[in-house]
Structures are given as C-alpha cells and as structure tokens.
Amino acid sequence: MSVNFTSNVLRPSGQKGMIKNGERGQSYQCQVFTDGVAKLVVGDFVKLKDVANASTPVVEKITATTEEPFGVIGYNANKNEFENGDMVTVYSDYTMITLESSAAIPAGSKVMPVITGQQIAVATDTNYAVGVALQKASAKNQLIDVLIKAPVLVSA
C-alpha cells in the first residue's frame, strides 16, 4: 500500500472504497439490514429498505441491476464487514470513490454496479448508471476512481 501526504494527513491510497474528495460528496449514516447470513462489505451498492419507525435510514444490498441504488459502502479504517444492525456510512451524489472494475471500462463511461464481487461495469440498457468512470480500466480487477451521481435508468 502506498501512502500520500496531503495537508498533514496520512492517507492510504489505491484501496477499494477510498473516498477521494473528502466532505465534498454526500454521505449518510445508515443502519444495515441483512438476512443474518450475508454481510455488507466495501464496494457494495445498497438500496433503502422500508422499515416502520426507523430512526435512521436503513439499507440493504441491491440484488439486481434493475434496482435503484441509494449509494455505496466506502472504506472504513475500523471495520470492513457490516452485519445486521450495524451503522455504516453510505456515499452517494458527487462522491469520488475508488472502485474495482469487472472488465475494461473506458474513462468517461457511465458505470453500473455488478451484483456479485463489489465491482462496476459499463452501464447497459435497463440498468441503473450510478456514476462516471474518471479513469480507464484496461482489464478486470483494476481499481479506478468513479464519480458517483444520482442513479439514472439507462434506456435503449
């Protein structure tokens, strides 16, 4: 892991889920809902869950690319897996975050979440685009910066 020194702050770089623009993007403290077996991890895209009398937003992992994402789980220095009832920071609009490619992605492409593996791909018809690739990924499993934007349903 490389280290960047910026404004007297020590930050790891080149790690999935790292937030690149600090407080400039939108972030929300949310409670995790899972089935008790699966856990949320860095890079998972989540949707809002309708829970009666919840005092904070409740999120669960999206299970299909046709579901509208609320945001993405970012890097957390203290914890990398989140279970039912845990609090987690969810990042959304105008957050610059490092994510992993599932295949080659040209810079400037709209991207969508891949359901398994906490990865992103070039957005395709009838799926939600969640941001724009700010860098090129020439192959699978490459870390690139993505600007998260409000989800938009891609049409043919």
Side-chain angles (χ1 to χ4, degrees):
M1 172 186 348
S2 62
V3 176
N4 292 336
F5 291 95
T6 307
S7 303
N8 295 326
V9 176
L10 183 65
R11 298 180 189 177
S13 65
Q15 192 154 337
K16 189 186 327 188
M18 289 302 300
I19 306 304
K20 297 295 191 90
N21 61 342
E23 299 301 319
R24 292 186 201 112
Q26 297 292 315
S27 63
Y28 305 91
Q29 291 300 307
C30 300
Q31 188 172 12
V32 171
F33 177 88
T34 66
D35 57 12
V37 178
K39 297 177 181 177
L40 293 181
V41 297
V42 171
D44 274 336
F45 279 83
V46 295
K47 62 183 178 180
L48 289 171
K49 178 150 180 74
D50 187 19
V51 176
N53 303 316
S55 60
T56 73
V58 177
V59 294
E60 65 182 340
K61 184 175 177 174
I62 61 170
T63 56
T65 56
T66 53
E67 294 178 328
E68 184 174 358
F70 174 65
V72 61
I73 308 276
Y75 174 81
N76 182 314
N78 299 315
K79 195 170 187 175
N80 59 12
E81 291 185 340
F82 303 92
E83 300 178 13
N84 195 45
D86 285 348
M87 294 301 291
V88 66
T89 304
V90 175
Y91 295 92
S92 63
D93 295 344
Y94 299 101
T95 298
M96 189 185 329
I97 186 171
T98 302
L99 295 173
E100 186 177 346
S101 66
S102 66
I105 299 174
S109 297
K110 292 179 182 174
V111 295
M112 67 180 204
V114 174
I115 299 305
T116 57
Q118 300 80 37
Q119 295 179 325
I120 54 167
V122 173
T124 57
D125 292 348
T126 70
N127 295 305
Y128 280 95
V130 294
V132 176
L134 299 176
Q135 297 171 313
K136 175 182 180 171
S138 56
K140 182 178 182 172
N141 300 327
Q142 290 187 338
L143 296 176
I144 62 170
D145 292 339
V146 173
L147 181 64
I148 301 296
K149 292 188 173 184
V152 175
L153 189 60
V154 179
S155 58

